């Protein structure tokens, strides 16, 4: 049975492509207490992620396994998406995916066709929940209108330098998860003075501050990537960090709109 709740902290795996290191980091994370692993067909590591899930001393049913279909890998036509889900299950060594995302609303993405395939996969039991990634409010509106099933999760870049207030408010209003990707601003949160000050005050690390700040927002969950054992365990401990109102306000006030992930056709680009 697919998991119906998305754990607060999942393990990101983008660019974790060395087979042994990837499998080891997934197994380390699950053994340390993570219950959510985020991969994608486009990361080229689903098999290694699957090896890590198999190697961990945790039952598969306890793990929320999330992957993504990409317009440039398989296409996003109806049959393409059905085939992509079967391929992901094979590579990951699982019978079902807890969560399958549309990775980017570009290329041959068509809400009616692409999302109808995801609903068919839910009906078949191959997929537990439907997700989308890198959508705008307009595209979310179109997706929700096309879907009979609920939209479960929207995954977007979010960290103290890109606060995504509109998309967080939208997620809270419509009751889906906002999954924050690059939640450590790709490791650069260590260089942000406001974050450094809060980290020093609580004697914790800047990555833990960033994750705790994100988790202070309703509906937001985080998927920090790490292939380093000490970081994997430290990031999980962010779930126990309680920032006070003053800390949260200081980070809320950071007024920079810095994006680390871009691609042609992204909805936030003009034209
Ligand atoms: P991120 O999680 O913000 O940052 C990862 C970087 O931070 C790595 O260099 C990592 O190095 C370092 N790091 C992790 N924990 C640390 C710690 N405690 N102290 C110091 N450094 C630390 O960046 P991301 O990989 O871009 O985003 C996370 C995940 O989101 C991805 O892996 C992927 O699953 C997902 N994502 C999705 C999309 C999308 O289009 N949907 C786009 C981008 C990312 P070590 O490995 O050495 O720890």
């Amino acid at each position: 049975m697919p998991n119906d709740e998305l754990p607060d902290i999942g393990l990101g795996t983008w660019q974790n492509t060395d087979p042994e290191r990837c499998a080891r980091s997934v197994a380390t994370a699950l053994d340390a207490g993570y219950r959510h692993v985020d991969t994608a067909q486009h990361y080229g590591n689903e098999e290694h992620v699957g090896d890590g899930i198999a190697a961990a001393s945790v039952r598969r049913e306890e793990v929320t396994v999330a992957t993504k279909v990409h317009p440039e890998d398989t296409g996003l036509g109806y049959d393409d998406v059905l085939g992509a889900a079967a391929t992901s299950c094979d590579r990951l060594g699982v019978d079902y995916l807890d969560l399958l995302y549309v990775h980017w609303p570009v290329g041959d993405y068509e809400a009616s066709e692409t999302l109808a395939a995801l609903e068919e996969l839910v009906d078949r039991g191959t997929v537990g929940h439907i997700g989308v990634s890198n959508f705008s409010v307009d595209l979310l509106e179109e997706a929700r209108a096309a879907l009979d099933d609920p939209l479960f999760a929207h995954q977007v870049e979010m960290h103290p330098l890109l606060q995504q207030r509109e998309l967080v408010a939208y997620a809270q209003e419509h009751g889906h998860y906002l999954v924050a990707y690059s939640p450590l601003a790709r490791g650069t949160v260590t260089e942000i003075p406001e974050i450094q000050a809060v980290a020093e005050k609580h004697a914790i690390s800047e990555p833990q501050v960033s994750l705790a700040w994100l988790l202070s927002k309703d509906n937001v969950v985080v998927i920090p990537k790490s292939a380093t054992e000490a970081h994997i365990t430290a990031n999980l401990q962010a779930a126990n960090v309680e920032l006070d109102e003053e800390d949260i306000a200081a980070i809320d006030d950071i007024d920079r709109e810095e994006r680390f992930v871009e691609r042609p056709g992204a909805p936030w680009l003009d034209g």
Side-chain angles (χ1 to χ4, degrees):
M1 287 292 285
N3 292 311
D4 292 331
E5 287 188 13
L6 208 43
D8 280 351
I9 301 188
L11 183 74
T13 63
W14 184 28
Q15 297 174 334
N16 193 352
T17 49
D18 175 77
E20 277 180 25
R21 192 165 188 211
C22 180
R24 194 170 53 243
S25 49
V26 170
T28 298
L30 294 175
D31 287 337
Y34 284 72
R35 291 294 180 268
H36 170 194
V37 181
D38 183 83
T39 180
Q41 292 210 340
H42 207 59
Y43 301 166
N45 64 4
E46 286 179 311
E47 275 183 55
H48 322 321
V49 168
D51 289 344
I53 294 170
S57 0
V58 173
R59 287 183 305 121
R60 183 268 170 269
E61 294 72 31
E62 293 177 49
V63 184
T64 296
V65 178
T67 191
K68 313 182 191 83
V69 284
H70 197 284
E72 284 156 13
D73 295 337
T74 55
L76 297 175
Y78 187 87
D79 291 332
D80 300 328
V81 173
L82 299 186
T87 303
S88 284
C89 283
D90 279 354
R91 290 190 185 137
L92 285 157
V94 298
D95 298 333
Y96 62 90
L97 306 164
D98 296 275
L99 172 57
L100 183 62
Y101 295 94
V102 176
H103 203 150
W104 286 90
V106 302
D108 62 348
Y109 171 71
E110 281 288 341
S112 55
E113 203 179 322
T114 306
L115 299 174
L118 283 166
E119 289 192 312
E120 171 63 21
L121 288 162
V122 171
D123 287 348
R124 293 181 186 179
T126 311
V127 166
H129 300 286
I130 295 171
V132 296
S133 180
N134 297 302
F135 276 39
S136 60
V137 164
D138 284 352
L139 286 164
L140 288 168
E141 287 280 298
E142 181 192 47
R144 289 181 49 256
L147 284 167
D148 291 324
D149 290 341
L151 178 67
F152 184 72
H154 180 209
Q155 183 175 131
V156 284
E157 181 174 345
M158 181 179 172
H159 44 70
L161 301 181
L162 184 70
Q163 301 205 358
Q164 301 282 24
R165 294 185 179 88
E166 186 186 23
L167 294 174
V168 172
Y170 190 89
Q172 291 168 347
E173 183 184 347
H174 296 287
H176 56 256
Y177 288 101
L178 192 300
V179 181
Y181 79 61
S182 306
L184 308 177
R186 310 224 70 211
T188 65
V189 287
T190 51
E191 297 156 22
I192 305 171
E194 294 89 338
I195 305 281
Q196 290 168 339
V198 176
E200 196 176 333
K201 175 175 154 186
H202 292 277
I204 56 177
S205 70
E206 291 87 357
Q208 289 173 326
V209 172
S210 187
L211 297 174
W213 171 80
L214 286 159
L215 293 177
S216 74
K217 312 291 177 203
D218 288 346
N219 294 52
V220 174
V221 306
V222 297
I223 47 167
K225 175 265 172 183
S226 181
T228 303
E229 184 167 349
H231 293 166
I232 292 171
T233 48
N235 292 345
L236 188 63
Q237 286 158 10
N240 305 322
V241 172
E242 284 281 340
L243 299 180
D244 61 36
E245 281 178 21
E246 191 189 341
D247 306 326
I248 292 170
I251 302 171
D252 285 347
D253 280 350
I254 298 175
D255 194 18
R256 287 155 63 178
E257 287 283 302
E258 240 176 89
R259 216 178 256 287
F260 291 79
V261 178
E262 285 286 8
R263 63 150 294 136
W268 51 85
L269 297 173
D270 289 331

